Amino acid sequence: MKVAKTVEEIRRIIADARADGAGSVGLVPTMGALHEGHYSLINAARCECDFVVVSIFVNPTQFGPNGDYREYPRSIEDDLAGCETHGADAVFVPSVDEMYPAGFATTVGVAGLAESMEGRCRPGHFDGVCTVVAKLFSIVAPDVAYFGAKDYQQAAVIKRMAIDLDLPLRIVVCPTVREPDGMAMSSRNAYLDDEQRAQAAALSESLHLAERLVREGKRNAAEVIEGVRSLLGEKAPLGEIDYVAVIEPDSLEAVEIIERDVVIVLAVRFPSARLIDNMRVDVPKASR
Ligand code: PAF
């Protein structure tokens, strides 16, 4: 496995791989602190692509002024070992100066999709995500890029960006990987103490409750949201709810009456970590 720190190095590595016959390049963009969720993306890339590149870059521009950029977990040695074990061919580990050299002045933004939920709670977040992802796409020129479904809105925003900018790649969104108690894997879970971690299991529990309510025939989104909020209030009292929403899967618009498949999304702020999760709920045609 090759490790590159500069744009020039990773471009050379990929050009050599293509010259040696690699027909497809897969990119797994990450901010490191890799866990099974990331490894599932690398596995998916390994199955589909001839050459697999993982990027590890804690991107400062997607953190707010009071965000956790400095505290964000960094574990580069373990991450490189994990990438190697899971079959990555190359890892791109640029510095902040390499990605944002003096004079850097361009921002990529997606209107509409990026303005609700995470976009509203974390102003500027998606501009930072889109800018760094657009740069990674330009640097690596992958045929396929892999993202996790836990960041549902992020995946939707990146798909929109790729379409709007005519980027010649396919975006694959892989299922959320969960702990045995249902908790979605996230690098930020490491911030939680035992009490917060135990309560955080209520996020996925509340999504299952929402799914059950819809399956049992509840069609009023406000009632489903109320069910989720009250379960979280009871079982995760340390968590402050940022939002719970029932949205249309593609437009991400809030749904009032559930007549088709929806995604239930939520964000909860615990004292030491802000967590997000979501679940798609399919509404069978017969019961619409
Ligand atoms: O999902 C993440 O880890 C980050 O937002 C990403 C896509 C790597 C961009 O920094």
Side-chain angles (χ1 to χ4, degrees):
M1 185 181 80
K2 303 211 159 79
V3 178
K5 291 189 173 166
T6 67
V7 172
E8 198 187 334
E9 279 164 11
I10 191 69
R11 281 196 166 135
R12 193 176 329 108
I13 289 167
I14 294 165
D16 288 349
R18 290 214 187 258
D20 286 348
S24 57
V25 172
L27 170 66
V28 180
T30 81
M31 297 207 299
L34 302 183
H35 51 66
E36 290 305 322
H38 297 111
Y39 294 136
S40 76
L41 306 181
I42 300 177
N43 290 342
R46 187 66 285 163
C47 287
E48 292 182 349
C49 302
D50 296 330
F51 196 80
V52 175
V53 180
V54 178
S55 63
I56 298 178
F57 179 62
V58 184
N59 173 36
T61 66
Q62 69 187 77
F63 291 80
N66 301 318
D68 55 347
Y69 174 67
R70 282 186 190 290
E71 300 81 44
Y72 196 83
R74 288 160 172 88
S75 51
I76 192 65
E77 294 308 323
D78 290 351
D79 290 351
L80 291 176
C83 288
E84 178 125 52
T85 307
H86 289 83
D89 295 299
V91 183
F92 179 43
V93 197
S95 65
V96 172
D97 285 346
E98 183 69 14
M99 291 299 272
Y100 300 112
F104 187 89
T106 301
T107 301
V108 181
V110 173
L113 288 183
E115 284 161 16
S116 60
M117 302 181 292
E118 290 305 288
R120 199 172 45 234
C121 295
R122 304 175 67 189
H125 169 68
F126 282 123
D127 287 355
V129 170
C130 289
T131 303
V132 81
V133 170
K135 279 177 67 72
L136 290 167
F137 287 174
S138 161
I139 293 163
V140 173
D143 299 279
V144 195
Y146 296 82
F147 296 88
K150 182 181 76 69
D151 296 286
Y152 189 86
Q153 187 177 13
Q154 169 173 282
V157 165
I158 290 170
K159 280 195 248 172
R160 184 76 255 166
M161 175 185 79
I163 293 169
D164 290 352
L165 298 182
D166 303 299
L167 304 179
L169 82 166
R170 190 160 57 85
I171 306 288
V172 171
V173 182
C174 298
T176 302
V177 178
R178 296 181 180 278
E179 303 282 359
D181 67 355
M183 169 103 169
M185 288 201 180
S186 162
S187 305
R188 289 189 169 94
N189 293 353
Y191 297 149
L192 301 171
D193 63 22
D194 290 349
E195 191 184 12
Q196 294 175 53
R197 172 63 188 82
Q199 292 191 14
L203 269 68
S204 71
E205 199 186 325
S206 73
L207 292 170
H208 282 293
L209 168 71
E211 182 187 38
R212 199 169 65 244
L213 292 174
V214 175
R215 289 212 191 291
E216 286 169 2
K218 218 173 252 319
R219 291 291 172 263
N220 187 328
E223 290 177 26
V224 174
I225 290 170
E226 191 37 49
V228 170
R229 283 184 169 273
S230 96
L231 186 146
L232 288 171
E234 187 192 323
K235 299 206 168 171
L238 289 172
E240 296 264 344
I241 299 173
D242 265 351
Y243 60 81
V244 179
V246 177
I247 59 169
E248 199 280 323
D250 298 319
S251 69
L252 309 189
E253 274 168 19
V255 168
E256 280 178 24
I257 302 299
I258 303 169
E259 290 168 324
R260 299 184 190 291
D261 302 348
V262 291
V263 182
I264 323 279
V265 286
L266 51 79
V268 178
R269 258 179 302 119
F270 283 90
S272 14
R274 183 175 178 281
L275 304 177
I276 59 173
D277 201 353
N278 69 82
M279 184 179 288
R280 185 178 172 116
V281 180
D282 294 337
V283 177
K285 278 208 174 65
S287 66
R288 282 177 185 170

